[in-house]
């Protein structure tokens, strides 16, 4: 069992263990030791726009250097950009300092291995074992002549922009499209608007002025109201929302209606099928039943992984398939990127729309979502497992009896926050809401 690594790296509130400079330095050292033994000589470090990123970047740099690993710093860039640039600059591993969709007072550290893929559970467990040594007995620094050296890369953003632009076929252009882009005051605030503009679109850019504390604040892929409103006000063709580290994509059609990750995954799958793709699609336990039904109509197999894009990736590797994602907007198209990439996924959607001379509103009509209610219940971290409570289990049983074969219930712990996520899906929206609220009231709350 991993103690510090969750579904998306190490994450927590800044200033509280484990998200402290001392811990980050020792994590850098432990990762350097483990990955160094696997042949890693240089690690590329990127971050989002949180003020705490500077502190954690310096601490990680010190840890990797002490382990004898060189460091290349690229500054604020999307998580998928770091994954891509890790390969481009021939670094052996990459690190992103980001808490993705969390508020500014949280931060996190996620590590990519060679090829831009996230580390395996086994690698993370090995790093944790080395980290335990550092936390209990201190770090052992290499000799002075073997210390890792640091360099800063100035043209990283430009390289990533060109990489993204290449996803749109050269025969197509975004000329004539008006697009509103919400960068969540996060890592994509410069590169995302630039990509769409350079491909010919008229771009209205919002939430693109990060100040270190406004990342994800009532904006971006986790809070769509601002984008929905801006699309209507500017009479745009569509809207594109990123989250804080730009690995999640949500979109808005011209009517101001949100198009979520499940619907976007359906559009990508339908387009892939049209172009000869013979594989299936990986979703998660949270994927809407409507997605599964729509894919079945296309004759495409569908499997559910545990929640988290790392588990979607594991299933893709196991099946040999190339498409997967989550309703939250993590979309994996392995023919185009090694990890979830909001900008690239949006360009794949736009390519499909342009090829069909279609609108986002019309294209999504092929999938009909079942009403799905999600209630987050915060619990006190460190206490007994709320899901093991007999009261909770009884509430779930009662809800499932009410739903019968017309819906489903899913309870799970968040991998990034002390939250229990209660999801109920049913043909009838009011029934789904009633069941979700009933279960939520049975959970112990802070």
């Amino acid at each position: 069992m991993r103690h510090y690594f969750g579904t998306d790296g190490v994450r927590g509130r800044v200033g509280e263990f484990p998200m402290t400079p001392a811990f980050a330095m020792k994590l850098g050292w432990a990762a350097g030791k483990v990955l160094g033994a696997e042949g890693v000589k240089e690690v590329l470090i990127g971050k989002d726009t949180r003020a705490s990123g500077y502190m954690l970047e310096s601490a990680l740099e010190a840890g990797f250097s002490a382990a004898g690993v060189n460091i290349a710093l690229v500054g604020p860039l999307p998580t998928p950009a770091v994954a891509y640039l890790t390969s481009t600059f021939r670094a052996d591993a990459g690190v992103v300092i980001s808490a993705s969709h969390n508020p500014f007072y949280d931060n996190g550290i996620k590590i990519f291995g060679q090829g831009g893929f996230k580390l395996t559970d086994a690698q993370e467990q090995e790093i944790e074992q080395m980290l335990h040594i550092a936390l209990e007995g201190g770090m052992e620094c290499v000799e002075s002549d073997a210390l890792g050296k640091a360099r800063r890369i100035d043209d990283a953003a430009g390289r990533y922009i060109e990489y993204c632009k290449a996803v749109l076929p050269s025969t197509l252009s975004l000329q004539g499209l008006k697009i509103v882009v919400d960068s969540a005051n996060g890592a994509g605030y410069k590169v995302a608007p630039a990509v769409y503009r350079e491909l010919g679109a008229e771009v209205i850019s919002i939430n693109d002025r990060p100040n270190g504390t406004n990342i994800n604040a009532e904006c971006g892929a986790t809070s769509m109201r601002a984008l929905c409103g801006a699309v209507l006000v500017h009479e745009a063709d569509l809207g594109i929302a990123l989250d804080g580290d730009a690995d999640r994509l949500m979109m808005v059609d011209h009517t101001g209606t949100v198009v979520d990750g499940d619907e976007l995954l359906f559009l990508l799958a339908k387009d892939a099928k049209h172009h000869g793709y013979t594989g299936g699609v990986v979703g998660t336990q949270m994927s809407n039943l409507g997605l599964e039904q729509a894919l079945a109509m296309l004759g495409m197999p569908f499997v559910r992984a545990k929640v988290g894009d790392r588990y979607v990736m594991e299933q893709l590797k196991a099946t040999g398939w190339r498409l997967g994602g989550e309703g939250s907007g993590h979309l994996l198209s392995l023919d185009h990127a090694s990890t979830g990439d909001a900008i690239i996924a949006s360009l794949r959607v736009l390519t499909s729309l342009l090829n069909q001379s279609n609108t986002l509103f019309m294209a999504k009509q092929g999938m009909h979502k079942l009403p799905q209610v999600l209630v987050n219940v915060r619990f006190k971290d460190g206490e007994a497992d709320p899901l093991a409570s007999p009261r909770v289990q009884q509430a779930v049983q009662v809800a499932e009896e009410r739903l019968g074969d017309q819906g489903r219930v899913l309870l799970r712990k968040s991998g990034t926050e002390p939250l229990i996520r209660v999801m109920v899906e049913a043909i009838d929206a009011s029934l789904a809401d009633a069941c979700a609220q009933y279960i939520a009231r049975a959970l112990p709350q802070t």
Side-chain angles (χ1 to χ4, degrees):
M1 292 290 294
R2 294 166 300 157
H3 184 65
Y4 298 111
F5 284 95
T7 56
D8 202 19
V10 181
R11 192 175 297 191
R13 193 177 182 104
V14 175
E16 297 178 5
F17 189 84
M19 207 46 52
T20 64
F23 180 91
M25 179 175 66
K26 291 174 181 178
L27 176 60
W29 176 83
K33 283 290 186 182
V34 171
L35 298 177
E38 298 178 3
V40 169
K41 297 179 181 178
E42 183 174 66
V43 60
L44 187 145
I45 300 179
K47 59 186 178 182
D48 66 22
T49 56
R50 297 163 211 264
S52 57
Y54 295 94
M55 174 184 74
L56 297 173
E57 179 184 63
S58 297
L60 282 167
E61 181 182 344
F64 278 112
S65 178
V69 175
N70 295 326
I71 308 102
L73 303 171
V74 298
L77 276 180
T79 290
V82 175
Y84 164 70
L85 292 169
T86 295
S87 174
T88 297
F89 286 104
R90 300 193 178 183
D92 304 293
V95 175
V96 177
I97 304 166
S98 173
S100 188
H101 59 281
N102 284 29
F104 80 94
Y105 47 74
D106 291 337
N107 215 331
I109 299 167
K110 36 193 168 184
I111 306 173
F112 295 91
Q114 292 178 333
F117 293 100
K118 291 183 178 181
L119 298 184
T120 65
D121 288 353
Q123 286 176 308
E124 289 182 348
Q125 287 174 344
E126 192 174 355
I127 290 173
E128 286 206 358
Q129 291 172 359
M130 189 64 69
L131 177 60
H132 180 74
I133 294 173
L135 293 172
E136 294 295 320
M139 293 165 33
E140 183 180 291
C141 185
V142 299
E143 296 294 328
S144 295
D145 60 352
L147 289 170
K149 299 177 179 63
R151 64 187 177 113
R152 188 166 295 278
I153 299 174
D154 296 322
D155 62 343
R159 293 198 186 197
Y160 177 64
I161 288 171
E162 292 304 314
Y163 166 67
C164 290
K165 287 166 56 181
V167 171
L168 191 76
S170 58
T171 55
L172 299 177
S173 168
L174 301 185
Q175 190 78 34
L177 284 179
K178 182 187 288 188
I179 301 173
V180 182
V181 179
D182 184 343
S183 301
N185 292 312
Y189 78 103
K190 283 187 177 180
V191 296
V195 168
Y196 306 117
R197 282 197 184 102
E198 292 183 23
L199 287 171
E202 177 185 349
V203 175
I204 296 96
S205 181
I206 64 174
N207 298 309
D208 58 356
R209 297 184 179 182
N211 61 15
T213 61
N214 62 358
I215 187 172
N216 298 316
E218 300 299 321
C219 59
T222 57
S223 184
M224 299 288 289
R225 183 179 300 177
L227 180 59
C228 292
V231 167
L232 293 175
V233 168
H234 293 281
E235 298 182 338
D237 294 290
L238 55 88
I240 294 171
L242 319 179
D243 69 336
D245 69 334
D247 65 352
R248 288 189 186 192
L249 169 70
M250 300 285 269
M251 296 181 74
V252 173
D253 66 25
H254 73 278
T255 70
T257 303
V258 173
V259 183
D260 69 12
D262 285 342
E263 293 170 299
L264 295 172
L265 181 56
F266 167 71
L267 295 182
L268 293 175
K270 185 178 180 181
D271 185 67
K273 177 83 171 181
H274 178 73
H275 287 90
Y277 176 67
T278 58
V281 176
V282 177
T284 73
Q285 296 167 333
M286 295 290 289
S287 296
N288 194 282
L289 184 58
L291 171 63
E292 186 172 354
Q293 294 171 339
L295 291 173
M297 292 292 291
L298 293 176
M300 299 184 75
F302 176 78
V303 299
R304 294 178 185 269
K306 292 191 294 184
V307 174
D309 60 328
R310 66 181 296 120
Y311 300 113
V312 174
M313 178 65 79
E314 286 180 2
Q315 282 292 326
L316 288 174
K317 289 181 178 178
T319 57
W321 297 346
R322 312 296 293 169
L323 282 172
E326 303 181 271
S328 61
H330 280 129
L331 299 171
L332 292 165
S333 179
L334 299 187
D335 288 331
H336 302 95
S338 62
T339 187
D341 189 316
I343 299 174
I344 286 179
S346 71
L347 292 173
R348 294 304 307 154
V349 171
L350 290 169
T351 297
S352 175
L353 297 179
L354 291 170
N355 280 331
Q356 299 173 33
S357 299
N358 208 353
T359 66
L360 183 58
F361 173 81
M362 292 302 299
K364 71 176 184 179
Q365 299 305 313
M367 173 186 158
H368 301 285
K369 293 194 300 180
L370 270 67
Q372 191 180 78
V373 176
L374 179 64
V375 178
N376 292 324
V377 180
R378 188 169 292 273
F379 67 93
K380 196 168 184 178
D381 206 5
E383 290 188 348
D385 184 359
L387 300 184
S389 165
R391 181 184 175 196
V392 174
Q393 293 175 356
Q394 183 179 11
V396 171
Q397 183 179 350
V398 170
E400 288 179 335
E401 288 175 354
R402 288 188 64 188
L403 291 168
D405 60 358
Q406 301 299 306
R408 64 190 183 102
V409 174
L410 176 67
L411 267 67
R412 69 176 187 90
K413 285 183 178 179
S414 167
T416 58
E417 302 174 82
L419 295 174
I420 299 295
R421 304 196 191 279
V422 181
M423 190 280 289
V424 179
E425 195 173 65
I427 293 177
D428 180 75
S430 60
L431 177 59
D433 184 65
C435 290
Q437 297 298 337
Y438 177 73
I439 296 170
R441 286 193 295 271
L443 284 160
Q445 304 180 26
T446 57

